[in-house]
Amino acid sequence: MAASTQSAESQSLQRAVLGARRLSNMFWAVVLSLGGAGFFLAGLSSYLGRNLLPFSDPTQLVFIPQGIAMGFYGVAALGLATYLWLVIALDVGGGYNQFDKANNQVRIVRHGFFGDNRHIEIEHPLDQITAIRVAIKEGLNPKRALYLKIKGRPDIPLTRVGQPIPLAELENQGAELARFLQVPLEGL
């Protein structure tokens, strides 16, 4: 959860959730774009017999099999880069968690791809919330997340996907949310 806003009367709490617009995703999109363009131009240069790259001379490559392999790798990398740029532009996975005491409702919104059927929106009464659960798993693939426990439903994740949140920040967010909702904090 990236940002938090709370109303003056302490009736509403809204937290933004970071989606695909992360620095790491942008880094990999740039790397894939540049690398894919280089490989594609190298393959095309070997086919045309003209140098299209300013830093090397791929015209010396034999088109079959080297040039065609370079072109294939370039097209694959450019395809992945296009997908990654699209995910970043749409901010897939981003959204917010809103807890509104005045309306007795929790609203969890996440952005998806195109159309209404790819947009996730969950609304539930606040009095159905039983606890806030903290899940911590260390090791090679660490996981630190907050979950909303609701009667009769599976736990709903409240934190971003991907890079784990620092432990102190996770504990503070969980404690703040449990205090605001007046429910127990589990898992610490």
Side-chain angles (χ1 to χ4, degrees):
M1 291 183 252
S4 172
T5 57
Q6 196 169 356
S7 70
E9 303 92 26
S10 210
Q11 292 293 312
S12 180
L13 176 68
Q14 182 169 330
R15 290 194 174 152
V17 176
L18 182 65
R21 290 186 184 156
R22 288 180 284 189
L23 191 59
S24 62
N25 284 350
M26 292 181 195
F27 169 78
W28 286 113
V30 167
V31 167
L32 282 170
S33 297
L34 294 175
F39 272 80
F40 180 72
L41 289 175
L44 195 59
S45 293
S46 75
Y47 176 74
L48 297 174
R50 299 169 94 181
N51 187 8
L52 300 174
L53 289 172
F55 51 85
S56 71
D57 186 19
T59 58
Q60 304 301 317
L61 295 174
V62 179
F63 180 67
I64 295 181
Q66 294 153 331
I68 203 162
M70 297 281 272
F72 172 75
Y73 291 143
V75 169
L78 289 173
L80 283 171
T82 302
Y83 168 76
L84 201 49
W85 283 117
L86 181 65
V87 166
I88 291 168
L90 296 174
D91 195 25
V92 174
Y96 62 90
N97 305 320
Q98 182 178 21
F99 304 91
D100 190 0
K101 286 185 177 178
N103 295 328
N104 190 36
Q105 194 160 14
V106 59
R107 186 171 186 213
I108 298 169
V109 177
R110 299 292 184 273
H111 306 296
F113 279 102
F114 301 106
D116 290 336
N117 58 345
R118 301 291 183 186
H119 184 80
I120 298 171
E121 193 169 323
I122 299 172
E123 293 184 2
H124 234 279
L126 285 178
D127 53 10
Q128 295 291 310
I129 297 173
T130 59
I132 302 297
R133 183 171 66 89
V134 178
I136 300 171
K137 183 182 115 183
E138 299 296 338
L140 289 176
N141 190 16
K143 180 179 179 182
R144 296 182 196 131
L146 287 178
Y147 290 90
L148 188 65
K149 292 185 79 170
I150 298 178
K151 289 180 195 171
R153 290 198 61 149
D155 293 354
I156 300 171
L158 297 175
T159 52
R160 67 181 184 230
V161 176
Q163 196 173 21
I165 298 171
L167 195 56
E169 184 180 336
L170 182 73
E171 289 173 352
N172 289 339
Q173 287 179 5
E176 178 189 5
L177 188 55
R179 197 170 29 254
F180 177 78
L181 296 173
Q182 297 173 344
V183 295
L185 180 64
E186 297 177 352
L188 286 180

